[in-house]
Amino acid sequence: MATYVLIHGASSDSWFWHRVVPLLRAAGHDVVTPDLPVSDPEAGIPEYTDAAVAALGDRADADDLVVVAQSMGSFTGAALTHRVPVKLLVFLSAMAPKEGETPGQWWEATGYSQARQESDARLGLPADADVKVVFFHDVPEKIVAAAWERGEVGQSDRPFGPPPMPALPTGVPIRYLVGRDDRFFPLDFQRRTVQERLGFAPDEMEGGHLLPLAQPEAVVQRLEAYRVGAGL
């Protein structure tokens, strides 16, 4: 069994994982879902990482930690590997980090804007497509309704600035899973950036950017396969 640490992305909180958590616990795993201080104008990636370590508490020294980091959570997930003994790092629909680069620099460095414009044009999406169209297009209606009832989680600009990212850990297995129907980080863009930055092709599954909300069972199956493959 393992201790899963689930790191949410920007403008989000631990509710993002609410469909995944019971499935992992039913499989016998411990699950930690930190709430990162995304609305705090003084909190950047170091403070996000502090929050994750604090949420782990006594489990910070566990020898079975699996970190799963979604979207912008990749920067916190990568930083966390320098603070606790992570045995497996999984990036999910994520921003592939690079040593010496801040999250704010990532967008231009990866050529995101052009890739997104080309993808939107292929899909026939307007430049001002709303959040439901870009992010929630494959999420069940009742989950979308619950998200709207909870309201928007404010995101500060602070984590997009310094400090730049450290090198990814050596000796820690890294897996990368993307949705083929992701409208925010288009598939071709993900294939290219992951290959360029991490040196391997991402794994793919059906679904958009919010895979844990849209397809929790399939996500858990992938995570469990990664865990077993890592010998945990």
Side-chain angles (χ1 to χ4, degrees):
M1 297 300 101
T3 300
Y4 278 92
V5 187
L6 308 181
I7 308 295
H8 63 78
S11 300
S12 187
D13 59 20
S14 59
W15 181 85
F16 178 74
W17 302 103
H18 79 279
R19 302 190 74 195
V20 166
V21 170
L23 300 176
L24 290 174
R25 287 180 174 158
H29 301 298
D30 194 3
V31 185
V32 180
T33 55
D35 280 307
L36 306 182
V38 299
S39 299
D40 184 347
E42 302 300 322
I45 299 302
E47 289 74 26
Y48 288 16
T49 309
D50 289 343
V53 173
L56 275 166
D58 293 341
R59 291 167 290 193
D61 294 324
D63 61 0
D64 61 355
L65 296 177
V66 177
V67 172
V68 184
Q70 193 266 352
S71 198
M72 186 181 167
S74 60
F75 295 97
T76 302
L80 192 57
T81 64
H82 295 276
R83 298 281 299 277
V84 296
V86 175
K87 294 299 187 291
L88 173 64
L89 175 60
V90 181
F91 291 133
L92 179 63
S93 305
M95 297 168 69
K98 183 177 181 180
E99 181 181 5
E101 184 179 275
T102 68
Q105 294 169 331
W106 180 90
W107 308 91
E108 182 175 357
T110 58
Y112 172 77
S113 293
Q114 180 177 346
R116 173 70 185 279
Q117 289 171 8
E118 292 173 352
S119 175
D120 285 354
R122 287 194 300 269
L123 294 172
L125 299 178
D128 59 350
D130 66 22
V131 171
K132 285 186 178 180
V133 170
V134 175
F135 291 95
F136 287 87
H137 58 95
D138 64 330
V139 176
E141 290 184 5
K142 66 178 181 179
I143 305 300
V144 177
W148 253 247
E149 183 176 350
R150 297 181 78 251
E152 182 180 1
V153 179
Q155 174 65 57
S156 80
D157 293 333
R158 179 66 186 87
F160 294 96
M165 284 301 300
L168 287 171
T170 58
V172 177
I174 298 175
R175 303 292 181 264
Y176 207 112
L177 179 61
V178 301
R180 295 190 186 95
D181 307 309
D182 193 330
R183 295 178 177 178
F184 187 56
F185 293 157
L187 180 59
D188 289 346
F189 170 77
Q190 286 278 57
R191 286 170 172 166
R192 173 176 61 79
T193 57
V194 175
Q195 186 67 55
E196 290 175 352
R197 289 165 169 252
L198 302 183
F200 58 85
D203 295 323
E204 302 173 13
M205 62 176 283
E206 297 303 319
H209 191 66
L210 307 181
L211 293 171
L213 291 179
Q215 299 195 57
E217 293 86 0
V219 169
V220 168
Q221 288 178 355
R222 295 289 189 131
L223 295 180
E224 286 289 78
Y226 291 151
R227 176 186 64 82
V228 172
L232 297 173

